Amino acid sequence: MNTRAHIIQLADTLIRDKGYNAFSYHDIAKTIGIKPASIHYHFPVKSNLGVAVIEKQIDRLFAVIEKYKSKSAVERLDKFLSIYTAIQKDNKICLVGSLATDFNTLDEQVREKLKTFSELMLDWVSDFLEEGRSTELFEFEGSSRTKAIMIVTNMLAIVQLSRLTNEQDFDTVKNSIKQDLIKK
Amino acid sequence: MNTRAHIIQLADTLIRDKGYNAFSYHDIAKTIGIKPASIHYHFPVKSNLGVAVIEKQIDRLFAVIEKYKSKSAVERLDKFLSIYTAIQKDNKICLVGSLATDFNTLDEQVREKLKTFSELMLDWVSDFLEEGRSTELFEFEGSSRTKAIMIVTNMLAIVQLSRLTNEQDFDTVKNSIKQDLIKK
DNA sequence: GTCTATATGATGATAGAC
DNA sequence: GTCTATCATCATATAGAC
């Protein structure tokens, strides 16, 4: 992996571990084995790095959407849930939740990119929920966007809340979502 | 209000606005009109202030629980939802969500106090959900604690997520929770 | 691309006067 | 209780050598 990509990957992990304002160029530099000033060659200011981290996640979500576009709604739901399962196993939280908390301290460019990312995610979830309902795999009331928000908020928050309660609560939420949704 | 209480109140608001690591003694001092060093008389180290902020919220929740203990489950649910409505109107997020995001940067004392607070909240919600079901006001499957987690995660996350999407999403979630729960 | 050196400013914290 | 003065540390960021 090249240095630029390595920096982005470490920044992503650090943001989701400690928060945007708690990680520093020094944290990244010491892991890579270069000096903090060298990071500025790749990302002159911190918000450039923030934007790059979100862009990378947008790219990865686009790839997932593309890969799963012809799969069933259940498979797409499982994929969505598995993304959060990986976050949980890694003892991190999701990027949207972390940066939403720090939102009022972020530069405008980072805010806008984050909005783009959250819209993309909500649209994707809404889409497979809607399709799942029309194919009678899922059952729920109200609009698919509303249901998407309910499910996304469950997942976004449980990776945060389970830091305080216990890890099993994550599985509890995941199973509850599926049980509630799958048509009997 | 005395200075100590004023400091706690401002710290609470700042944590829920910008996050624990983004607020400083300077932020508080300039609003109160004293010097940053003077804050250290009341709270020698920042984690003392962090603990005090959580303790204050625990006290307030205890008072709510006491005041509502003989009211109906629906009234208690409405009270729970109204707490988050106030947070949303104030353009803030909830303390648990904010500090859970910063959890890996917090002192042990702050972490423990935060766990106590989240348990208290979950227990309260579980209690009125259970009672609401037994009196046939509410209808839901699974344990009351599971349902409490589902509802708390919805509220905790929507105050964060609606910073990125739009304010109406908050009402959407609130109404969806009630509609889902109230027995028809 | 990475280094050293440096500027600049913020931060949490302490000591001691008032 | 609040002040001034001060400290050590850390942060983002820049300039210029290699």
Side-chain angles (χ1 to χ4, degrees):
Chain A
M1 183 158 39
N2 64 43
T3 304
R4 184 189 158 86
H6 198 178
I7 293 167
I8 292 171
Q9 180 237 303
L10 289 171
D12 177 279
T13 302
L14 284 163
I15 290 170
R16 294 183 302 99
D17 184 53
K18 310 199 298 182
Y20 184 82
N21 293 304
F23 93 89
S24 69
Y25 276 28
H26 175 76
D27 293 332
I28 294 169
K30 73 171 181 237
T31 302
I32 297 187
I34 59 179
K35 299 293 168 185
S38 305
I39 313 281
H40 285 276
Y41 169 78
H42 303 277
F43 303 97
V45 299
K46 198 180 182 181
S47 59
N48 298 153
L49 178 52
V51 168
V53 166
I54 304 168
E55 278 174 346
K56 177 74 185 171
Q57 290 231 13
I58 288 174
D59 288 347
R60 283 197 288 170
L61 183 52
F62 261 125
V64 167
I65 293 170
E66 180 64 21
K67 186 177 172 188
Y68 281 76
K69 68 178 178 184
S70 57
K71 307 237 172 147
S72 76
V74 173
E75 282 172 301
R76 281 188 273 171
L77 170 67
D78 283 339
K79 179 60 187 178
F80 169 76
L81 297 175
S82 81
I83 291 171
Y84 275 91
T85 306
I87 291 169
Q88 175 74 15
K89 278 195 176 150
D90 200 29
N91 256 300
K92 304 291 181 293
I93 63 173
C94 79
L95 190 65
V96 171
S98 180
L99 291 178
T101 298
D102 296 330
F103 194 73
N104 291 341
T105 72
L106 301 177
D107 280 16
E108 192 57 28
Q109 304 153 359
V110 184
R111 292 184 188 193
E112 287 308 310
K113 194 61 76 176
L114 187 60
K115 287 180 184 178
T116 302
F117 182 40
S118 66
E119 280 169 29
L120 178 65
M121 185 167 65
L122 280 171
D123 285 347
W124 179 53
V125 176
S126 299
D127 283 352
F128 69 65
L129 287 174
E130 186 62 42
E131 193 198 290
R133 178 160 62 177
S134 71
T135 55
E136 300 196 340
L137 293 166
F138 298 155
E139 194 169 24
F140 59 90
E141 286 173 28
S143 75
S144 57
R145 189 172 190 279
T146 295
K147 192 67 182 176
I149 290 172
M150 299 305 285
I151 291 173
V152 167
T153 51
N154 284 144
M155 299 307 290
L156 187 153
I158 193 57
V159 290
Q160 296 180 12
L161 190 61
S162 68
R163 284 176 164 178
L164 314 182
T165 60
N166 59 70
E167 283 189 36
Q168 296 98 286
D169 286 335
F170 178 82
D171 288 322
T172 300
V173 169
K174 196 169 69 168
N175 295 334
S176 185
I177 288 170
K178 286 203 73 172
Q179 184 143 14
D180 167 70
L181 206 53
I182 305 286
K183 196 173 175 113
K184 280 127 209 145
Chain B
M1 182 157 41
N2 63 45
T3 304
R4 184 189 157 86
H6 199 177
I7 293 167
I8 292 172
Q9 179 238 303
L10 289 172
D12 177 278
T13 302
L14 285 162
I15 290 170
R16 294 183 301 101
D17 184 54
K18 311 199 297 181
Y20 184 82
N21 294 304
F23 93 90
S24 69
Y25 276 28
H26 175 75
D27 293 331
I28 294 170
K30 74 171 180 236
T31 301
I32 297 188
I34 60 180
K35 298 296 166 183
S38 306
I39 313 280
H40 285 277
Y41 168 79
H42 303 277
F43 303 98
V45 297
K46 197 179 182 181
S47 60
N48 298 151
L49 178 52
V51 168
V53 166
I54 304 168
E55 279 174 345
K56 177 74 185 170
Q57 290 232 13
I58 288 174
D59 288 347
R60 282 197 289 172
L61 182 52
F62 261 125
V64 167
I65 294 170
E66 180 65 21
K67 186 177 173 188
Y68 281 77
K69 68 178 178 183
S70 57
K71 307 236 172 148
S72 76
V74 173
E75 282 172 300
R76 281 187 273 171
L77 170 67
D78 283 338
K79 178 61 187 176
F80 169 76
L81 297 176
S82 82
I83 291 171
Y84 275 91
T85 305
I87 291 169
Q88 175 74 16
K89 277 195 178 149
D90 200 29
N91 255 302
K92 303 290 180 294
I93 62 173
C94 80
L95 190 66
V96 170
S98 180
L99 292 178
T101 297
D102 296 330
F103 194 73
N104 292 340
T105 72
L106 301 177
D107 280 15
E108 192 57 27
Q109 304 154 0
V110 183
R111 292 184 188 191
E112 286 308 311
K113 194 61 75 176
L114 186 62
K115 287 181 184 178
T116 302
F117 183 40
S118 65
E119 279 170 30
L120 178 65
M121 185 167 65
L122 280 171
D123 284 347
W124 180 52
V125 176
S126 299
D127 282 354
F128 69 65
L129 287 175
E130 186 61 42
E131 195 198 290
R133 178 160 63 176
S134 71
T135 55
E136 299 194 342
L137 293 166
F138 297 154
E139 193 168 25
F140 60 91
E141 287 174 25
S143 76
S144 58
R145 189 173 190 280
T146 294
K147 192 67 182 175
I149 291 173
M150 300 305 287
I151 291 174
V152 167
T153 52
N154 284 145
M155 300 306 291
L156 186 153
I158 194 57
V159 290
Q160 296 180 13
L161 190 62
S162 68
R163 285 176 163 179
L164 314 183
T165 60
N166 59 71
E167 284 190 34
Q168 297 98 286
D169 286 335
F170 178 83
D171 288 323
T172 300
V173 168
K174 196 169 70 168
N175 295 334
S176 186
I177 287 170
K178 287 204 73 173
Q179 184 143 13
D180 168 71
L181 207 53
I182 305 286
K183 196 174 175 111
K184 280 129 210 141

